[in-house]
Amino acid sequence: ILNVEQSPQSLHVQEGDSTNFTCSFPSSNFYALHWYRWETAKSPEALFVMTLNGDEKKKGRISATLNTKEGYSYLYIKGSQPEDSATYLCAFWIYNQGGKLIFGQGTELSVKP
Amino acid sequence: EAQVTQNPRYLITVTGKKLTVTCSQNMNHEYMSWYRQDPGLGLRQIYYSMNVEVTDKGDVPEGYKVSRKEKRNFPLILESPSPNQTSLYFCASSLSGGLGTVNSPLHFGNGTRLTVT
């Protein structure tokens, strides 16, 4: 059974803090990794699509890195703002299984003003 | 407006009464998929479709059926719903099928909250 784990499960920070969280996945089955942001009462929205070892992606104050050899990806938020409060999901695409993917359970971020 | 549309948004039904949740996308996407979200379990993939007439099981397909007769529609069918299928359901699509699927981000519908009593 393939397992995708995200840590921490939840995080409470003050406005202006920088933060990061982890997505761990089985390195031997890697095909691609996506990051999504999910605000309460809305639908998940794509942040990054990552496919190559060493990939680094950035969108504003949010960035992500990928290490496929050791099986992890980091998501960083610089200078957190209250509007960054959301659940951040990683989605692991399984090699050689077409469109099959596994989501992590998510990291719930709360940013206090 | 480019979007994935699910209907209904909310549904309360009784055990055993067949139901269909519709999903339609207007972006000419090849890949479509269904997920359920339960507290503490995250999003779990039910079924996916790489293109018309091509469907395959995700992690939790038991109790569900799908069909992909045309590119834009991917309905989720519960032939005999049970209380353990009470959940929040999401449909999603992405541009590429085949080998390009993993390179395209998923676009999600607004969700369907299903309660089976």
Side-chain angles (χ1 to χ4, degrees):
Chain A
I1 296 176
L2 298 177
N3 206 24
V4 177
E5 294 187 358
Q6 290 188 245
S7 62
Q9 285 190 4
S10 64
L11 201 50
H12 300 266
V13 302
Q14 291 293 132
E15 182 175 353
D17 288 349
S18 292
T19 186
N20 66 85
F21 14 98
T22 306
C23 174
S24 300
F25 52 83
S27 57
S28 59
N29 301 90
F30 180 83
Y31 202 178
L33 191 88
H34 293 187
W35 280 99
Y36 292 86
R37 169 194 158 88
W38 190 4
E39 289 181 72
T40 303
K42 294 188 177 180
S43 306
E45 291 183 345
L47 284 173
F48 303 115
V49 171
M50 310 183 83
T51 56
L52 298 174
N53 185 45
D55 255 356
E56 292 188 22
K57 302 271 176 138
K58 188 174 181 181
K59 186 185 269 191
R61 293 179 291 97
I62 305 177
S63 60
T65 61
L66 178 67
N67 184 324
T68 61
K69 295 187 187 306
E70 296 183 37
Y72 64 84
S73 176
Y74 291 143
L75 190 79
Y76 301 91
I77 302 179
K78 186 177 178 182
S80 303
Q81 300 296 308
E83 58 265 30
D84 295 329
S85 298
T87 296
Y88 292 84
L89 300 169
C90 64
F92 171 73
W93 294 82
I94 306 168
Y95 181 72
N96 226 18
Q97 293 199 31
K100 195 165 185 178
L101 64 84
I102 300 174
F103 277 89
Q105 292 186 16
T107 292
E108 186 178 357
L109 175 67
S110 173
V111 183
K112 288 187 177 178
Chain B
E1 182 190 348
Q3 58 186 2
V4 178
T5 304
Q6 288 179 235
N7 279 300
R9 292 290 307 275
Y10 301 92
L11 180 58
I12 301 174
T13 190
V14 296
T15 300
K17 186 176 181 183
K18 180 179 178 180
L19 65 92
T20 299
V21 184
T22 63
C23 175
S24 180
Q25 49 90 7
N26 62 0
M27 297 171 279
N28 202 35
H29 283 178
E30 292 189 356
Y31 179 86
M32 297 186 76
S33 51
W34 276 102
Y35 306 86
R36 60 178 288 174
Q37 197 269 329
D38 302 290
L41 295 176
L43 281 169
R44 293 181 293 167
Q45 191 179 47
I46 303 171
Y47 269 96
Y48 62 92
S49 169
M50 301 289 271
N51 213 324
V52 176
E53 301 291 1
V54 181
T55 63
D56 214 336
K57 297 177 182 178
D59 256 357
V60 288
E62 295 79 19
Y64 304 95
K65 283 174 58 177
V66 292
S67 69
R68 187 92 183 273
K69 294 178 182 169
E70 47 188 347
K71 203 170 191 177
R72 63 184 294 126
N73 295 323
F74 190 45
L76 180 70
I77 303 155
L78 285 72
E79 294 270 4
S80 183
S82 62
N84 65 13
Q85 292 178 297
T86 293
S87 187
L88 176 61
Y89 291 86
F90 284 99
C91 177
S93 69
S94 69
L95 181 61
S96 297
L99 292 176
T101 302
V102 302
N103 295 319
S104 304
L106 292 170
H107 298 256
F108 284 84
N110 286 330
T112 296
R113 187 166 290 282
L114 172 66
T115 302
V116 183
T117 61

